[in-house]
Protein backbone atom coordinates (compact mmCIF):
# COMPACT_ATOMS: atom_id res chain seq x y z
CA UNK A 1 0.00 0.00 0.00
CA UNK A 2 2.26 2.72 -1.23
CA UNK A 3 1.16 6.38 -1.31
CA UNK A 4 -0.78 7.20 -4.45
CA UNK A 5 -2.17 3.68 -4.86
CA UNK A 6 -4.86 3.80 -2.19
CA UNK A 7 -7.83 3.79 -4.57
CA UNK A 8 -6.39 0.86 -6.53
CA UNK A 9 -5.66 -0.99 -3.31
CA UNK A 10 -9.22 -0.61 -2.01
CA UNK A 11 -10.54 -1.90 -5.36
CA UNK A 12 -8.18 -4.86 -5.28
CA UNK A 13 -9.09 -5.76 -1.70
CA UNK A 14 -12.81 -5.61 -2.43
CA UNK A 15 -12.56 -7.64 -5.64
CA UNK A 16 -10.25 -10.24 -4.11
CA UNK A 17 -12.50 -10.70 -1.07
CA UNK A 18 -15.48 -11.10 -3.40
CA UNK A 19 -13.65 -13.91 -5.21
CA UNK A 20 -13.75 -16.05 -2.04
CA UNK A 21 -16.97 -18.00 -1.47
CA UNK A 22 -17.23 -17.04 2.20
CA UNK A 23 -20.58 -18.58 3.04
CA UNK A 24 -21.01 -19.58 6.68
CA UNK A 25 -18.16 -21.81 7.82
CA UNK A 26 -16.06 -21.14 4.72
CA UNK A 27 -14.39 -17.87 5.70
CA UNK A 28 -10.92 -19.18 6.67
CA UNK A 29 -9.20 -18.85 3.28
CA UNK A 30 -10.33 -15.26 2.81
CA UNK A 31 -9.35 -14.41 6.37
CA UNK A 32 -5.90 -15.90 5.87
CA UNK A 33 -5.45 -13.80 2.73
CA UNK A 34 -6.63 -10.65 4.48
CA UNK A 35 -4.40 -11.31 7.47
CA UNK A 36 -1.39 -11.50 5.17
CA UNK A 37 -2.47 -8.36 3.35
CA UNK A 38 -2.82 -6.42 6.59
CA UNK A 39 0.52 -7.65 7.92
CA UNK A 40 2.24 -6.62 4.66
CA UNK A 41 0.66 -3.19 5.00
CA UNK A 42 2.13 -2.66 8.47
CA UNK A 43 -0.81 -3.62 10.67
CA UNK A 44 -0.31 -5.54 13.91
CA UNK A 45 -2.75 -8.43 13.47
CA UNK A 46 -4.82 -10.26 16.07
CA UNK A 47 -7.06 -13.26 15.43
CA UNK A 48 -9.73 -15.00 17.48
CA UNK A 49 -12.40 -17.67 17.22
CA UNK A 50 -15.73 -17.79 18.98
CA UNK A 51 -16.23 -20.14 21.93
CA UNK A 52 -19.44 -22.09 21.32
CA UNK A 53 -19.91 -22.76 25.04
CA UNK A 54 -19.75 -19.06 25.88
CA UNK A 55 -21.87 -18.00 22.92
CA UNK A 56 -24.57 -20.48 23.97
CA UNK A 57 -25.12 -18.37 27.09
CA UNK A 58 -25.55 -15.25 24.92
CA UNK A 59 -29.19 -14.24 24.18
CA UNK A 60 -28.57 -14.08 20.42
CA UNK A 61 -27.60 -17.73 20.02
CA UNK A 62 -29.13 -21.18 20.54
CA UNK A 63 -28.72 -22.68 24.01
CA UNK A 64 -27.05 -25.79 22.58
CA UNK A 65 -23.34 -25.16 21.76
CA UNK A 66 -23.51 -27.95 19.14
CA UNK A 67 -25.73 -25.67 17.06
CA UNK A 68 -23.13 -22.87 16.95
CA UNK A 69 -20.42 -23.44 14.35
CA UNK A 70 -17.21 -21.75 15.50
CA UNK A 71 -14.35 -24.15 14.68
CA UNK A 72 -11.93 -23.00 11.99
CA UNK A 73 -13.66 -19.64 11.63
CA UNK A 74 -11.12 -16.97 12.59
CA UNK A 75 -11.93 -13.29 12.86
CA UNK A 76 -9.12 -10.85 12.09
CA UNK A 77 -8.25 -7.46 13.55
CA UNK A 78 -5.50 -5.23 12.17
CA UNK A 79 -4.17 -2.41 14.37
CA UNK A 80 -2.35 0.80 13.47
CA UNK A 81 -0.97 2.96 16.29
CA UNK A 82 -0.32 6.70 16.23
CA UNK A 83 1.89 8.80 18.50
CA UNK A 84 1.47 7.61 22.07
CA UNK A 85 -1.43 5.15 21.63
CA UNK A 86 -2.00 4.84 25.37
CA UNK A 87 -2.66 8.57 25.60
CA UNK A 88 -5.35 8.55 22.89
CA UNK A 89 -8.53 6.78 21.88
CA UNK A 90 -9.12 3.57 19.97
CA UNK A 91 -11.60 3.43 17.09
CA UNK A 92 -12.74 0.14 15.56
CA UNK A 93 -13.74 -0.04 11.89
CA UNK A 94 -15.72 -3.24 11.54
CA UNK A 95 -16.98 -5.36 8.67
CA UNK A 96 -18.08 -8.96 8.22
CA UNK A 97 -16.52 -11.23 5.62
CA UNK A 98 -19.24 -13.89 5.47
CA UNK A 99 -21.96 -13.86 2.83
CA UNK A 100 -25.25 -15.65 2.21
CA UNK A 101 -25.37 -18.36 -0.49
CA UNK A 102 -25.56 -16.98 -4.01
CA UNK A 103 -28.73 -18.73 -5.13
CA UNK A 104 -30.12 -18.44 -8.66
CA UNK A 105 -30.59 -15.51 -11.01
CA UNK A 106 -26.98 -14.52 -11.73
CA UNK A 107 -25.74 -13.62 -15.20
CA UNK A 108 -22.28 -14.94 -14.36
CA UNK A 109 -20.35 -16.69 -11.60
CA UNK A 110 -21.25 -14.80 -8.40
CA UNK A 111 -17.72 -15.32 -7.09
CA UNK A 112 -15.99 -14.00 -10.19
CA UNK A 113 -16.22 -10.22 -9.63
CA UNK A 114 -17.26 -8.16 -12.63
CA UNK A 115 -16.56 -4.47 -13.24
CA UNK A 116 -18.83 -2.52 -15.57
CA UNK A 117 -19.65 1.19 -15.83
CA UNK A 118 -18.17 1.97 -12.44
CA UNK A 119 -20.00 -0.84 -10.66
CA UNK A 120 -18.75 -3.99 -8.96
CA UNK A 121 -21.00 -7.05 -9.20
CA UNK A 122 -20.43 -10.15 -7.04
CA UNK A 123 -21.89 -11.85 -4.01
CA UNK A 124 -20.75 -9.70 -1.09
CA UNK A 125 -20.05 -6.59 -3.19
CA UNK A 126 -22.59 -4.55 -1.20
CA UNK A 127 -22.98 -6.74 1.88
CA UNK A 128 -20.32 -5.99 2.80
CA UNK A 129 -16.88 -6.64 1.38
CA UNK A 130 -16.61 -3.24 -0.29
CA UNK A 131 -17.35 -1.61 3.05
CA UNK A 132 -14.66 -3.76 4.65
CA UNK A 133 -12.19 -2.68 1.95
CA UNK A 134 -13.15 0.94 2.61
CA UNK A 135 -12.21 0.45 6.26
CA UNK A 136 -8.74 -0.76 5.29
CA UNK A 137 -8.37 2.18 2.92
CA UNK A 138 -9.48 4.66 5.57
CA UNK A 139 -6.99 3.32 8.10
CA UNK A 140 -4.11 3.57 5.64
CA UNK A 141 -5.18 7.05 4.51
CA UNK A 142 -5.19 8.15 8.14
CA UNK A 143 -1.70 6.73 8.59
CA UNK A 144 -0.51 8.72 5.57
CA UNK A 145 -1.91 12.03 6.83
CA UNK A 146 0.49 14.67 8.11
CA UNK A 147 -1.51 15.47 11.26
CA UNK A 148 -0.06 14.24 14.52
CA UNK A 149 -2.32 12.65 17.14
CA UNK A 150 -2.36 9.80 19.65
CA UNK A 151 -4.47 6.67 19.49
CA UNK A 152 -5.22 3.52 17.56
CA UNK A 153 -7.38 2.43 14.67
CA UNK A 154 -8.51 -1.19 14.34
CA UNK A 155 -9.83 -2.78 11.15
CA UNK A 156 -11.89 -5.87 11.92
CA UNK A 157 -13.03 -8.59 9.55
CA UNK A 158 -15.42 -10.80 11.51
CA UNK A 159 -17.16 -14.07 10.67
CA UNK A 160 -20.68 -15.36 11.12
CA UNK A 161 -22.60 -12.08 11.02
CA UNK A 162 -25.36 -13.79 9.07
CA UNK A 163 -25.58 -16.38 11.88
CA UNK A 164 -26.04 -13.92 14.71
CA UNK A 165 -22.64 -12.26 14.75
CA UNK A 166 -20.29 -15.01 15.89
CA UNK A 167 -17.06 -13.03 15.47
CA UNK A 168 -18.41 -9.73 16.75
CA UNK A 169 -20.18 -11.30 19.73
CA UNK A 170 -16.99 -13.16 20.66
CA UNK A 171 -15.01 -9.90 20.49
CA UNK A 172 -17.63 -8.13 22.60
CA UNK A 173 -17.78 -10.87 25.23
CA UNK A 174 -14.00 -11.16 25.56
CA UNK A 175 -11.82 -8.36 24.20
CA UNK A 176 -9.24 -9.94 21.83
CA UNK A 177 -6.91 -6.94 22.13
CA UNK A 178 -4.59 -5.81 24.95
CA UNK A 179 -6.28 -2.38 25.02
CA UNK A 180 -9.76 -0.94 25.45
CA UNK A 181 -12.01 0.13 22.56
CA UNK A 182 -13.67 3.54 22.76
CA UNK A 183 -16.02 3.46 19.76
CA UNK A 184 -16.76 1.66 16.52
CA UNK A 185 -18.04 2.25 13.01
CA UNK A 186 -19.66 -0.76 11.29
CA UNK A 187 -19.46 -0.29 7.51
CA UNK A 188 -22.71 -2.02 6.51
CA UNK A 189 -24.44 -0.64 3.40
CA UNK A 190 -26.43 2.40 4.62
CA UNK A 191 -26.44 4.48 1.42
CA UNK A 192 -23.84 6.76 3.04
CA UNK A 193 -26.16 7.78 5.87
CA UNK A 194 -25.45 7.35 9.60
CA UNK A 195 -27.49 4.70 11.38
CA UNK A 196 -27.69 4.88 15.16
CA UNK A 197 -30.56 2.43 15.76
CA UNK A 198 -30.92 -1.12 14.48
CA UNK A 199 -34.04 -3.18 14.95
CA UNK A 200 -34.06 -6.49 16.74
CA UNK A 201 -35.90 -9.64 15.77
CA UNK A 202 -37.61 -12.50 17.56
CA UNK A 203 -37.54 -15.81 15.70
CA UNK A 204 -40.21 -18.33 16.74
CA UNK A 205 -41.92 -21.45 15.51
CA UNK A 206 -45.66 -21.56 16.12
CA UNK A 207 -47.32 -24.97 16.16
CA UNK A 208 -50.84 -26.37 15.90
CA UNK A 209 -52.08 -29.96 16.23
CA UNK A 210 -55.40 -31.20 14.81
CA UNK A 211 -56.98 -34.53 13.98
CA UNK A 212 -56.32 -36.44 10.77
CA UNK A 213 -58.92 -38.20 8.68
CA UNK A 214 -59.23 -39.67 5.21
CA UNK A 215 -59.88 -37.06 2.54
CA UNK A 216 -63.04 -38.93 1.56
CA UNK A 217 -64.43 -38.28 5.05
CA UNK A 218 -62.63 -35.07 5.88
CA UNK A 219 -65.53 -33.91 8.09
CA UNK A 220 -64.28 -36.42 10.67
CA UNK A 221 -60.99 -34.58 10.99
CA UNK A 222 -59.91 -31.22 12.42
CA UNK A 223 -57.74 -29.34 9.94
CA UNK A 224 -54.96 -27.15 11.27
CA UNK A 225 -55.15 -25.10 8.07
CA UNK A 226 -58.55 -23.69 8.99
CA UNK A 227 -57.26 -22.80 12.45
CA UNK A 228 -54.18 -21.22 10.97
CA UNK A 229 -56.34 -18.68 9.13
CA UNK A 230 -57.30 -17.34 12.56
CA UNK A 231 -53.66 -17.33 13.62
CA UNK A 232 -52.55 -15.53 10.47
CA UNK A 233 -55.18 -12.85 10.99
CA UNK A 234 -54.07 -12.61 14.61
CA UNK A 235 -50.45 -12.06 13.60
CA UNK A 236 -51.51 -9.32 11.20
CA UNK A 237 -53.50 -7.68 13.99
CA UNK A 238 -50.49 -7.96 16.31
CA UNK A 239 -48.34 -6.19 13.71
CA UNK A 240 -50.90 -3.40 13.21
CA UNK A 241 -51.37 -2.81 16.92
CA UNK A 242 -47.64 -2.63 17.58
CA UNK A 243 -47.10 -0.28 14.64
CA UNK A 244 -49.56 2.14 16.23
CA UNK A 245 -48.56 1.69 19.87
CA UNK A 246 -44.77 1.30 19.77
CA UNK A 247 -43.23 4.51 18.43
CA UNK A 248 -39.66 5.70 17.91
CA UNK A 249 -38.61 8.97 16.24
CA UNK A 250 -36.13 7.27 13.91
CA UNK A 251 -38.78 4.90 12.52
CA UNK A 252 -41.65 7.27 11.71
CA UNK A 253 -41.07 7.03 7.94
CA UNK A 254 -41.55 3.24 7.78
CA UNK A 255 -45.02 2.00 6.75
CA UNK A 256 -44.47 -1.05 8.98
CA UNK A 257 -41.81 -0.24 11.58
CA UNK A 258 -41.90 -3.61 13.37
CA UNK A 259 -42.73 -6.20 10.69
CA UNK A 260 -44.14 -9.65 11.40
CA UNK A 261 -43.19 -12.09 8.66
CA UNK A 262 -44.41 -15.67 8.26
CA UNK A 263 -41.43 -16.92 6.32
CA UNK A 264 -42.11 -20.64 6.22
CA UNK A 265 -45.15 -22.84 6.65
CA UNK A 266 -45.15 -26.64 6.96
CA UNK A 267 -48.41 -28.58 7.29
CA UNK A 268 -49.86 -32.03 6.70
CA UNK A 269 -48.36 -35.29 5.54
CA UNK A 270 -50.37 -36.45 2.51
CA UNK A 271 -52.78 -34.98 -0.03
CA UNK A 272 -55.44 -37.54 0.84
CA UNK A 273 -55.35 -36.82 4.56
CA UNK A 274 -56.65 -33.92 6.62
CA UNK A 275 -53.67 -31.85 7.77
CA UNK A 276 -53.23 -32.56 11.47
CA UNK A 277 -49.98 -30.76 12.20
CA UNK A 278 -48.63 -27.31 11.30
CA UNK A 279 -45.49 -25.32 12.03
CA UNK A 280 -45.08 -21.68 11.04
CA UNK A 281 -41.64 -20.02 11.20
CA UNK A 282 -42.12 -16.37 12.09
CA UNK A 283 -39.89 -13.31 12.44
CA UNK A 284 -41.11 -10.43 14.62
CA UNK A 285 -39.48 -7.01 14.67
CA UNK A 286 -38.25 -5.73 18.05
CA UNK A 287 -38.13 -1.96 18.51
CA UNK A 288 -35.23 -0.04 20.06
CA UNK A 289 -36.02 0.19 23.76
CA UNK A 290 -37.69 -3.24 23.80
CA UNK A 291 -36.13 -6.64 24.38
CA UNK A 292 -36.61 -9.90 22.54
CA UNK A 293 -37.98 -11.42 25.76
CA UNK A 294 -40.60 -8.68 26.26
CA UNK A 295 -41.90 -9.00 22.69
CA UNK A 296 -41.93 -12.78 23.07
CA UNK A 297 -44.18 -12.42 26.13
CA UNK A 298 -46.49 -10.04 24.23
CA UNK A 299 -46.77 -12.39 21.28
CA UNK A 300 -47.43 -15.44 23.44
CA UNK A 301 -50.24 -13.67 25.30
CA UNK A 302 -51.71 -12.42 22.02
CA UNK A 303 -51.76 -15.88 20.43
CA UNK A 304 -53.36 -17.38 23.53
CA UNK A 305 -56.08 -14.75 23.20
CA UNK A 306 -56.61 -15.63 19.54
CA UNK A 307 -57.06 -19.29 20.47
CA UNK A 308 -59.54 -18.50 23.25
CA UNK A 309 -61.64 -16.32 20.97
CA UNK A 310 -61.58 -18.82 18.10
CA UNK A 311 -62.58 -21.74 20.36
CA UNK A 312 -61.31 -24.35 17.90
CA UNK A 313 -62.86 -27.82 17.96
CA UNK A 314 -60.27 -30.59 17.93
CA UNK A 315 -57.26 -28.24 17.65
CA UNK A 316 -54.50 -28.10 20.26
CA UNK A 317 -52.20 -25.08 20.54
CA UNK A 318 -50.80 -22.81 19.56
CA UNK A 319 -47.39 -23.71 20.90
CA UNK A 320 -44.54 -21.25 20.50
CA UNK A 321 -40.80 -21.74 20.85
CA UNK A 322 -37.69 -19.86 19.80
CA UNK A 323 -35.47 -21.13 17.02
CA UNK A 324 -32.35 -20.05 15.16
CA UNK A 325 -30.82 -16.75 16.27
CA UNK A 326 -32.30 -13.77 18.08
CA UNK A 327 -31.32 -10.15 17.46
CA UNK A 328 -31.58 -7.62 20.26
CA UNK A 329 -32.04 -4.02 19.05
CA UNK A 330 -29.10 -1.65 19.37
CA UNK A 331 -29.11 2.11 19.92
CA UNK A 332 -26.35 4.69 20.19
CA UNK A 333 -27.28 8.21 21.29
CA UNK A 334 -26.87 10.83 18.58
CA UNK A 335 -24.66 13.03 20.77
CA UNK A 336 -21.98 10.36 21.21
CA UNK A 337 -18.54 11.59 20.05
CA UNK A 338 -18.29 8.87 17.37
CA UNK A 339 -21.61 9.96 15.84
CA UNK A 340 -20.58 13.62 15.87
CA UNK A 341 -17.19 12.71 14.40
CA UNK A 342 -18.85 10.79 11.57
CA UNK A 343 -21.22 13.66 10.84
CA UNK A 344 -18.26 16.04 10.68
CA UNK A 345 -16.36 13.65 8.42
CA UNK A 346 -19.38 13.43 6.13
CA UNK A 347 -19.72 17.19 5.93
CA UNK A 348 -16.03 17.61 5.15
CA UNK A 349 -16.35 15.19 2.24
CA UNK A 350 -19.52 16.64 0.77
CA UNK A 351 -22.12 14.25 2.21
CA UNK A 352 -25.12 16.25 3.38
CA UNK A 353 -27.52 13.61 4.75
CA UNK A 354 -26.00 13.55 8.22
CA UNK A 355 -29.15 13.10 10.32
CA UNK A 356 -29.13 9.76 12.17
CA UNK A 357 -31.75 7.21 11.18
CA UNK A 358 -32.99 3.80 12.25
CA UNK A 359 -33.17 0.65 10.14
CA UNK A 360 -35.47 -2.37 10.29
CA UNK A 361 -32.66 -4.92 10.16
CA UNK A 362 -30.07 -6.05 12.67
CA UNK A 363 -26.29 -5.62 12.56
CA UNK A 364 -23.18 -6.55 14.51
CA UNK A 365 -23.23 -3.04 15.98
CA UNK A 366 -25.60 -4.32 18.68
CA UNK A 367 -22.89 -6.52 20.17
CA UNK A 368 -20.51 -3.60 20.64
CA UNK A 369 -23.28 -1.38 22.00
CA UNK A 370 -24.15 -4.10 24.53
CA UNK A 371 -20.47 -4.17 25.57
CA UNK A 372 -20.55 -0.43 26.26
CA UNK A 373 -18.81 0.60 23.02
CA UNK A 374 -20.75 3.40 21.25
CA UNK A 375 -21.21 2.31 17.65
CA UNK A 376 -22.59 3.89 14.49
CA UNK A 377 -23.37 2.05 11.26
CA UNK A 378 -22.24 3.77 8.06
CA UNK A 379 -21.11 2.43 4.72
CA UNK A 380 -21.39 2.37 0.94
CA UNK A 381 -24.09 0.67 -1.08
CA UNK A 382 -27.69 -0.17 -0.34
CA UNK A 383 -29.24 -2.89 1.78
CA UNK A 384 -31.63 -3.39 -1.14
CA UNK A 385 -28.74 -5.09 -2.97
CA UNK A 386 -27.93 -7.40 -0.05
CA UNK A 387 -28.81 -11.09 -0.57
CA UNK A 388 -30.04 -10.33 -4.11
CA UNK A 389 -28.84 -11.97 -7.34
CA UNK A 390 -26.53 -9.71 -9.37
CA UNK A 391 -25.54 -7.94 -6.12
CA UNK A 392 -23.94 -4.67 -7.22
CA UNK A 393 -22.36 -1.56 -5.73
CA UNK A 394 -21.57 1.81 -7.27
CA UNK A 395 -17.83 2.19 -6.79
CA UNK A 396 -18.11 5.95 -6.34
CA UNK A 397 -20.02 5.29 -3.11
CA UNK A 398 -17.09 3.18 -1.85
CA UNK A 399 -14.67 6.00 -2.58
CA UNK A 400 -16.89 8.49 -0.78
CA UNK A 401 -17.30 6.15 2.19
CA UNK A 402 -13.52 5.70 2.41
CA UNK A 403 -13.02 9.48 2.48
CA UNK A 404 -15.79 10.09 5.03
CA UNK A 405 -14.59 7.33 7.37
CA UNK A 406 -11.03 8.65 7.10
CA UNK A 407 -12.17 12.12 8.14
CA UNK A 408 -14.39 10.71 10.88
CA UNK A 409 -11.51 8.72 12.32
CA UNK A 410 -9.28 11.79 12.15
CA UNK A 411 -11.84 13.90 14.05
CA UNK A 412 -12.51 11.20 16.64
CA UNK A 413 -8.87 10.40 17.37
CA UNK A 414 -7.87 14.08 17.45
CA UNK A 415 -10.57 15.11 19.92
Amino acid sequence: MEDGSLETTVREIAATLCSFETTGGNEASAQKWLQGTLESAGFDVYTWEGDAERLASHPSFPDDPALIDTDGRPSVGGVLEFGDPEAGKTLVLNGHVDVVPAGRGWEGDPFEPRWKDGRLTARGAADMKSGLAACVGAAKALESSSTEFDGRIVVESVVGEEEGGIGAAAAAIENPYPFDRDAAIVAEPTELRPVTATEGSLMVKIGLEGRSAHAATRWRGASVLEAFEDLRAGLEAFERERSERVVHPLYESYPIPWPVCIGRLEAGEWASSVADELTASVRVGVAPGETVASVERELRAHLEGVAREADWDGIAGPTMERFSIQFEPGVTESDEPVVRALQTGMERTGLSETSPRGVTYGADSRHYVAAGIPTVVFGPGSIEQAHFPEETIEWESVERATSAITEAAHVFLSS
Side-chain angles (χ1 to χ4, degrees):
M1 292 187 185
E2 299 297 331
D3 292 345
S5 64
L6 183 61
E7 180 182 336
T8 300
T9 298
V10 173
R11 287 171 63 97
E12 290 175 349
I13 290 174
T16 302
L17 286 174
C18 286
S19 70
F20 288 96
E21 189 172 350
T22 54
T23 49
N26 298 310
E27 306 99 337
S29 295
Q31 294 291 68
K32 182 178 180 180
W33 175 84
L34 184 60
Q35 178 179 350
T37 299
L38 293 175
E39 289 173 343
S40 297
F43 289 80
D44 293 327
V45 177
Y46 297 80
T47 64
W48 66 96
E49 290 188 8
D51 183 328
E53 293 285 346
R54 297 201 65 178
L55 291 175
S57 65
H58 190 285
S60 282
F61 297 94
D63 295 335
D64 184 355
L67 299 178
I68 308 172
D69 181 14
T70 60
D71 291 344
R73 304 180 70 179
S75 291
V76 176
V79 181
L80 294 178
E81 296 186 337
F82 308 99
D84 179 2
E86 299 300 329
K89 299 177 182 178
T90 295
L91 176 65
V92 176
L93 306 180
N94 170 278
H96 67 84
V97 75
D98 60 304
V99 298
V100 297
R104 298 189 296 271
W106 293 80
E107 295 179 7
D109 188 329
F111 298 101
E112 289 185 4
R114 287 172 278 141
W115 294 95
K116 184 178 180 180
D117 298 331
R119 300 180 181 92
L120 173 62
T121 299
R123 173 56 84 224
D127 183 21
M128 55 165 292
K129 292 175 177 179
S130 295
L132 178 53
C135 292
V136 179
K140 290 303 291 182
L142 191 66
E143 184 184 48
S144 300
S145 68
S146 58
T147 306
E148 295 184 1
F149 50 85
D150 299 321
R152 298 182 185 86
I153 194 161
V154 182
V155 176
E156 284 186 348
S157 174
V158 295
V159 302
E161 189 271 350
E162 304 289 356
E163 299 161 74
I166 290 172
I173 292 171
E174 186 171 355
N175 187 354
Y177 311 107
F179 48 79
D180 293 331
R181 299 154 292 177
D182 296 291
I185 297 174
V186 175
E188 288 276 11
T190 66
E191 300 178 350
L192 300 176
R193 293 184 60 185
V195 168
T196 56
T198 58
E199 189 167 318
S201 59
L202 165 69
M203 304 288 284
V204 294
K205 289 189 175 182
I206 299 171
L208 292 170
E209 290 188 2
R211 183 173 62 250
S212 186
H214 194 287
T217 56
R218 71 179 183 83
W219 58 87
R220 297 181 181 275
S223 173
V224 290
L225 296 176
E226 296 172 12
F228 181 71
E229 287 302 308
D230 294 323
L231 271 188
R232 183 183 60 80
L235 288 170
E236 291 176 352
F238 183 75
E239 179 185 73
R240 286 195 301 272
E241 188 275 334
R242 282 178 46 77
S243 294
E244 295 173 1
R245 174 175 55 85
V246 182
V247 295
H248 191 285
L250 298 182
Y251 289 81
E252 292 174 351
S253 65
Y254 289 100
I256 306 175
W258 329 119
V260 177
C261 177
I262 304 170
R264 183 177 175 85
L265 190 64
E266 301 170 89
E269 296 291 342
W270 186 247
S272 292
S273 298
V274 171
D276 64 344
E277 190 173 35
L278 178 146
T279 301
S281 299
V282 181
R283 178 195 185 275
V284 181
V286 179
E290 297 183 310
T291 65
V292 168
S294 68
V295 175
E296 181 180 24
R297 288 192 294 270
E298 279 188 24
L299 179 59
R300 190 181 300 278
H302 180 80
L303 293 180
E304 290 172 353
V306 169
R308 283 195 302 271
E309 185 174 337
D311 193 23
W312 298 312
D313 182 20
I315 301 294
T319 60
M320 191 178 89
E321 62 179 10
R322 293 188 185 189
F323 81 103
S324 186
I325 54 178
Q326 314 297 323
F327 278 54
E328 294 290 345
V331 182
T332 294
E333 296 301 323
S334 60
D335 60 352
E336 282 287 347
V338 68
V339 178
R340 296 200 303 268
L342 176 59
Q343 291 171 316
T344 300
M346 293 173 65
E347 291 168 354
R348 289 182 180 179
T349 54
L351 298 175
S352 59
E353 295 187 79
T354 61
S355 297
R357 64 171 180 155
V359 292
T360 54
Y361 56 83
D364 274 344
S365 54
R366 73 192 191 281
H367 293 304
Y368 297 99
V369 170
I373 303 169
T375 303
V376 59
V377 186
F378 172 85
S382 171
I383 195 65
E384 293 181 2
Q385 286 289 325
H387 302 193
F388 272 58
E390 291 296 286
E391 181 180 343
T392 298
I393 192 166
E394 296 275 354
W395 193 252
E396 181 185 1
S397 73
V398 182
E399 295 171 347
R400 301 192 77 177
T402 304
S403 298
I405 294 171
T406 301
E407 288 296 320
H410 182 272
V411 172
F412 183 79
L413 295 178
S414 299
S415 62

